[in-house]
């Protein structure tokens, strides 16, 4: 059951140039978080009064603290970057479902861009019970974060190219049993093409308004009709997603 | 004394704050108590299920929200069997069912189905959704069609019959008068304005359908002007909406002639908007020793 | 090569940036050089002088501006004798004269008077001002009336004939097609939306006339949607306006099918908006090695 | 000829509770200012990007410095109050006409509320050559500023009542030759009723958009038609104002 709260920002930290990491202390909320879940966030600044909340994945929830890793792309995320410690952060959540957890498997985690935070956390959660490989891609060095294999479009860090380019190889050589993914749609689509019949859980993105399942704004083609990323997702079994419509 | 008591035709409301069709569902009651609201309005339903429009369906503009949901709904039958029982169990406030159709016959068949059910206090007849090719706006733009539809529906029900009007017409007052003459017992206005947004870098429309519905604070001045125009043209009560966020916004609409208001997009910038609005209104009225009816339609 | 060159029918423009009728005058040229602009459009003039509406005439809303100027102007005769000579002396860019009337005959008499004068490059026929009881909107809302007016005016002039349309109609594309069929050589859209504001404390309208004109950033999504609708419906060029502030805003309208744009309310939040817009546009086109005509109407 | 400039805020000072005094260093502009003139001002903050400039009278222009005395009443003035020293203030001006200056006269200056700043400056300019009395009124002690006679509606400072209540007396006993005024319309109207045939120059207020005479938004009933407060005023000969229409 999601909660709406206004909490003082604990800390804010610039990472690379375009990213920031922010956190709040919220033991009860942190308890409820699982990898894949997200919050609708908004900076408690006058400029944001009439603006929408923005969906942001939980990057880490431990010891009562919840933190988020955010890329500044537009007005909403820019305002989050302006928020100073002690100023109010508005949170609605935790929202959505979470990744299906397994044991004793070889798990491949594939993230692109701002798909990184939920998989980074998933990795830490899976690792005690599984062998986990996290590959991550972005457009330049700025977009790279700690992972087992990194890719950049411009080759400025890690391997040059797409995060999906070596997936077939990795699946074979590492004997992968299960795939988890989060990132931009074209990446997920290309990934699903490589994954074949392996179990694959993909976390999808969508523009959101309510975050609660009320407005049907975040619909994606899953199963027979549309499913709501905010309420039915964000994690879907990749086999149920109608990829050709994305 | 409840300074906030109001009425929409046959419907007495303990709070003048209601919710805009399609923007709200009972999930919000996990965040606040339903008693803040005077009534609960459903998303628009249609006779057959509707899949809705492909994504992306939403985009936030400088002063509002664009949407193109495309009236996604499970259709009358599934709604009656799955949604209505849950709503009946949960709601302690009047239930208003919004519905639409692509022909007068379709509207009538939906009403027939709903009339057989208990626990429904009123209907909001959506003749104004701009997203769907055949439904909605075709009806909402022609006074003769609206009159005929209102007459047919009014003959079949004793429940509150609200007609929800589109702002995208030359003369909303004429449509309002046609609905009133046909037998609508109140009016809801406005539905969304036409709106669009394009990615200036690539030329791609931000939403899958080129022209979508525009709501939120940017449309408030339009909604207020049309509310006042209609208030001068009809005697039946008005449920006003369009960009209302705060209790001060709501007061403007009461002065202009609204008997109740609805919040839609406001929930997406403040999930507690309805609670705060109701409280702010009550405080204002108490401090000035006024009741809602002292100010409804008294703008000058 | 001038990547910004464009045309409105018979009128070649060195810059696609123009000014919205009634919002601008030559006083701004004390702040920036007129060469930023492709053309200069006057405030709307009428046959007889018009006093305009009583104050207050302006109110700033959350996302725009309400106005009720009431077409205040000195009338054709005084304008020809006092204003036109000054404009002719000062302007190095094409002069577009905006005019209106309360009957077809009045429009024709104004055109007759203007045709006798040199130094006028084109006309903007205002059939869309929402502030005045008899003028404007009565014409702008009826395709037959617009067709007849356009035919009569087109027969009398070889100058650029722009019809300026109102957004407050059910089907702007039908009006646009009527203007085109009659002989309008381009279209300007949109004029202001209906809008209103009330002092929530006292119930007083913020502006002396209850329903006034709403402009500024809050109306941009509407203007863009209607620009695209009209672009799909006609072949003549479109001069787009309504809430444009930045070069990114302007690009959205070019993608949607506009051949030129105009700034109005934007001047009141940045007197140099036109200069910055022109520069931003030029930089964008150069960096992407594009000309304006590569993007006009190419939204997808 | 007005100029459009972005200047760093020199200083800002809270006065009473609702007022602030801000200033910029601008020697060339200061030269051009005369009592009665005003600027269109806006805080150079992101929240103000799409907002209108607001007309504010020059409170003082001397030694290259221009200062303003501002009452916080709405979003525009609130943003001016938020502006910190060094942050950009946008100025368009100086705008409008100025008070007709006289010599060797007994001048009565009457101000109400935010009509005070131009008259306070006018007083300093007139004083070397005239005998000057400044009376000022407001609703409570907060609204009072240094003057020869102050009035408040609630009696919390100065005399209780309207600034116009003793005008007839003052005109007689002080042998007044000329009246200058600035304040809310009802005050100016009441004042004009007392002043009779004495020369009276009133500075009017109006909601403004362009400030340059372009939009005709600030029209007031003066002479035969309407005059623009921003361009033809703000100072008008009171005898030409059609008071009954205000
Ligand atoms: C479930 C979920 C989890 C997310 N987790 C994170 C996270 O952990 N960290 C993070 O930085 N971002 C995350 N995002 C993306 C984030 O929500 C958007 O970047 C944010 O909404 C942008 O808001 P804005 O106001 O700054 O920009 P806007 O003005 O809203 O948009 C700027 C640009 O980004 C695009 N965009 C906006 N929102 C989305 C979206 N939801 N999906 C795809 N494109 C979008 C727009 O089309 C536009 O081009 C997540 C999104 C979802 C749906
Ligand atoms: C020539 C001139 C000189 C002025 N000099 C000063 C000055 O030196 N110091 C000062 O504090 N103020 C002065 N004002 C008034 C000032 O311009 C307004 O208080 C300001 O525009 C309010 O803007 P806002 O965005 O804060 O509030 P808004 O939201 O614009 O308005 C808040 C309230 O004030 C009313 N209001 C707004 N503007 C005006 C106006 N121009 N006239 C009358 N009522 C208005 C509105 O109706 C509303 O009720 C002057 C006005 C004029 C025309
Ligand atoms: C996401 C969304 C979905 C909507 N769905 C419906 C609907 O199903 N039926 C309807 O009559 N109006 C629908 N509307 C319109 C709203 O009910 C309301 O008329 C409009 O949004 C203006 O109010 P607001 O500015 O307060 O949101 C929808 C609006 C939004 C934003
Ligand atoms: C103060 C003001 C005066 C206007 N006067 C006229 C006018 O005389 N004739 C006209 O056709 N439009 C007039 N308009 C409408 C504008 O030309 C323009 O269509 C509208 O403001 C939308 O553009 P914007 O949002 O860029 O201002 C006026 C608008 C404003 C704000
Ligand atoms: S964002 Fe509203 S249903 Fe998902
Ligand atoms: S404010 Fe535009 S004419 Fe005075």
């Amino acid at each position: 059951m999601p909660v709406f709260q206004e909490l003082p920002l604990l800390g804010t930290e610039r990472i690379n140039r375009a990213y920031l990491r922010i956190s709040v202390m919220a033991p009860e909320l942190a308890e409820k978080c699982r990898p894949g879940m997200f919050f609708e966030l908004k900076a408690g600044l006058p400029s944001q009064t009439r603006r929408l909340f923005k969906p942001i994945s939980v990057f880490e929830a431990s010891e009562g603290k919840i933190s988020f890793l955010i890329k500044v792309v537009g007005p909403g995320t820019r305002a989050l970057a302006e928020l100073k410690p002690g100023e109010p952060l508005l949170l609605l959540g935790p929202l959505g479902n979470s990744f299906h957890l397994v044991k004793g498997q070889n798990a491949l985690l594939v993230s692109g861009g701002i798909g990184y935070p939920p998989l980074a956390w998933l990795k830490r959660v899976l690792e005690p019970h599984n062998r986990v490989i996290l590959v991550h891609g972005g457009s330049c060095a700025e977009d790279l974060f700690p992972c087992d294999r990194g890719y950049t479009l411009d080759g400025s860090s890690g391997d040059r190219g797409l995060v999906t380019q070596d997936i077939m190889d990795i699946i074979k050589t590492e004997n992968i049993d299960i795939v988890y993914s989060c990132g931009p749609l074209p990446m997920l689509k290309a990934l699903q093409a490589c994954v074949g019949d392996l179990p694959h859980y993909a976390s999808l993105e969508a523009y959101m308004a309510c975050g609660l399942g009320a407005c049907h704004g975040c619909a994606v083609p899953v199963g027979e009709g549309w499913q709501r990323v905010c309420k039915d997702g964000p994690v879907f079994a990749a086999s149920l997603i109608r990829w050709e419509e994305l | 004394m409840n300074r906030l008591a109001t009425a929409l035709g046959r419907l007495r409301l303990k709070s003048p704050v209601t919710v805009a069709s399609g923007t709200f569902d009972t999930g919000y009651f996990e965040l606040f108590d339903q008693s803040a609201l005077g009534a609960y309005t459903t998303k628009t339903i249609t006779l057959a299920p509707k899949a809705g429009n492909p994504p992306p369906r939403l985009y936030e503009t400088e002063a509002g929200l664009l949407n193109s949901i495309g009236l996604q709904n499970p259709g009358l039958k599934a709604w009656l069997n799955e949604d209505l029982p849950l709503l009946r169990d949960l709601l302690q406030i009047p239930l208003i069912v919004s519905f639409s159709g692509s022909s007068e016959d379709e509207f009538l068949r939906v009403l027939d189905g709903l009339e057989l059910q208990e626990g429904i206090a009123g209907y909001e007849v959506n003749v104004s959704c701009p997203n769907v090719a055949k439904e909605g706006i075709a009806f909402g733009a022609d006074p003769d069609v609206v009159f005929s539809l209102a007459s047919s529906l009014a003959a079949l029900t004793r429940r509150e019959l609200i007609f929800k009007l589109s702002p995208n017409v030359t003369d909303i007052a004429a449509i309002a008068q046609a609905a009133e003459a046909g037998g609508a017992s109140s009016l809801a206005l406005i539905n969304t304005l036409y709106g669009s947004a394009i990615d200036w870098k690539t030329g791609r429309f931000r939403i899958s359908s080129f022209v979508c519905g525009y709501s939120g604070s940017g449309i408030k001045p339009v909604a207020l002007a049309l509310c006042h125009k209609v208030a001068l043209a009809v005697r039946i009560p008005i449920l006003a909406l369009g960009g209302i966020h705060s209790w001060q916004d709501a007061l403007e609409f009461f002065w202009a002639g609204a008997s109740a208001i609805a919040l839609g997009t406001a929930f997406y910038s403040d999930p507690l908007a309805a609670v705060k609005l109701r409280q702010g209104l009550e405080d204002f009225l108490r401090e000035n020793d006024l009741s809602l009816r002292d100010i409804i339609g008294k703008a000058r």
Side-chain angles (χ1 to χ4, degrees), chain A residues 64-80:
Chain A
K65 204 168 99 175
I66 307 178
S67 67
F68 305 95
L69 181 69
I70 301 172
K71 181 168 190 176
V72 177
V73 300
T77 48
R78 191 150 46 235
L80 289 170

Side-chain angles (χ1 to χ4, degrees), chain B residues 105-162:
Chain B
D105 181 58
E106 246 178 67
F107 275 98
L108 292 174
R109 287 171 66 194
V110 178
L111 185 76
D112 271 339
L114 293 168
E115 278 289 304
L116 297 172
Q117 307 294 325
E118 303 215 321
I120 296 173
Y123 303 112
E124 190 173 270
V125 184
N126 179 358
V127 289
S128 51
C129 175
N131 294 327
V132 187
K134 273 179 292 176
E135 277 86 1
I137 189 63
F139 280 94
D142 185 335
D144 295 339
V145 175
V146 168
F147 172 79
S148 161
L149 180 63
S151 314
S152 308
L153 293 174
L156 294 177
T157 186
R158 301 177 145 261
R159 291 174 174 162
E160 179 58 18
L161 188 63
I162 310 169

